[in-house]
Amino acid sequence: MIVTIDGVAASGKSSVASGVARALGIPYVSSGLLYRAATLLGLEAGLPLHQAAALLAHLQGNSLRLEPRAEGNRVWAGERELTLELHSSRVDAGVSAVAALPEVRAWVDAQLRALPEPFVAEGRDMGTTVFPHAEAKFYLTASPRVRAERRAKERPEDVPVIEAALTERDRLDTVQSAPAPDAQVIDTGPLTLEGVIEEVLASVRAPLA
Ligand SMILES: Nc1ncnc2c1ncn2[C@@H]1O[C@H](COP(=O)(O)OP(=O)(O)OP(=O)(O)O)[C@@H](O)[C@H]1O
Ligand SMILES: Nc1ccn([C@H]2C[C@H](O)[C@@H](COP(=O)(O)O)O2)c(=O)n1
């Protein structure tokens, strides 16, 4: 079984995917972490982030891999764990450029499709491109202000600065971030995290009841 949870930046995808995965007793897969890790490694190596061939060679040379778990994904470059370095503002600012490269997208998609089922997959194009055959699909939204207020609790920047960065990332991610026609769209703005998780679980379990 595959459940997909797509949505805009900071809409709650990873928190909801983790909660749903834990309730179902299966791992979740955070596709954005692979794009973030590619960006971090590219920045560290001083590579131009729009040069796909050099970037891909660098990723393969560093044995980049995702470790899916229900309680939080980990990302490794060989023996080095990158996980805690992937949510910096520097990575945020560069990741859309890396995610726009078709060669990098194909590499990430191949990594994801090689993972053993079952799992909950979260990202931008899980329900549309990567796992169009998924059993249940969701797309999370919330206004930029609501998302910025949530993010401000975990970042040093002020709400207006975060809101402007989120709005810009929404714009850059538009091409790959759209709800699948068969996805259930959930506005998380008025809901608690637990409320969103319950709504997703109710839909996933409905066909089984
Ligand atoms: N419904 C909700 N109510 C309140 N807070 C929430 C809700 N959903 C998520 N949050 C909080 O919002 C923040 C962003 O959530 P999360 O990191 O899961 O989003 P994301 O979509 O995975 O982000 P990104 O696109 O940057 O990877 C977290 O602090 C999370 O706890
Ligand atoms: N399936 C995906 C997942 C992520 N991206 C891009 C878009 C984001 O700017 C970036 C980081 O993702 P996040 O951690 O915010 O979920 O990666 C994508 O294009 N496709």
Side-chain angles (χ1 to χ4, degrees):
M1 177 181 70
I2 298 179
V3 176
T4 61
I5 300 181
D6 290 306
V8 290
S11 55
K13 301 180 298 295
S14 51
S15 309
V16 173
S18 175
V20 169
R22 272 180 286 155
L24 296 175
I26 60 178
Y28 83 97
V29 171
S30 178
S31 57
L33 289 183
L34 282 173
Y35 291 106
R36 287 176 177 277
T39 306
L40 177 68
L41 291 182
L43 288 169
E44 285 181 348
L47 296 173
L49 294 184
H50 57 277
Q51 285 189 7
L55 197 53
L56 267 184
H58 190 60
L59 301 184
Q60 282 153 358
N62 278 276
S63 307
L64 187 60
R65 70 184 167 83
L66 182 72
E67 182 188 346
R69 301 178 313 159
E71 61 277 14
N73 284 206
R74 300 171 79 180
V75 183
W76 301 85
E79 296 296 302
R80 173 186 166 202
E81 181 168 10
L82 306 178
T83 317
L84 295 179
E85 299 171 67
L86 299 179
H87 280 90
S88 67
S89 299
R90 188 169 78 121
V91 172
D92 278 0
V95 67
S96 295
V98 171
L101 300 171
E103 297 89 341
V104 173
R105 300 200 72 78
W107 180 83
V108 167
D109 293 355
Q111 301 260 321
L112 298 171
R113 290 185 182 123
L115 295 169
E117 293 185 34
F119 53 78
V120 179
E122 63 94 354
R124 299 296 192 291
D125 58 349
M126 298 298 98
T128 48
T129 304
V130 186
F131 302 115
H133 56 287
E135 280 80 357
K137 302 181 184 180
F138 302 87
Y139 190 91
L140 308 186
T141 66
S143 72
R145 177 49 65 116
V146 165
R147 289 182 277 144
E149 284 168 351
R150 291 173 181 167
R151 264 285 185 256
K153 296 184 182 133
E154 39 182 33
R155 298 278 170 100
E157 293 91 353
D158 293 334
V159 170
V161 173
I162 298 174
E163 185 178 358
L166 283 175
T167 304
E168 174 61 2
R169 201 140 65 86
D170 286 352
R171 187 183 71 76
L172 295 170
D173 291 338
T174 310
V175 178
Q176 64 265 19
S177 188
D182 51 347
Q184 180 179 331
V185 179
I186 302 176
D187 177 2
T188 73
L191 300 172
T192 62
L193 180 54
E194 292 70 28
V196 181
I197 292 168
E198 278 312 311
E199 199 166 322
V200 169
L201 283 172
S203 283
V204 169
R205 287 172 172 151
L208 307 173

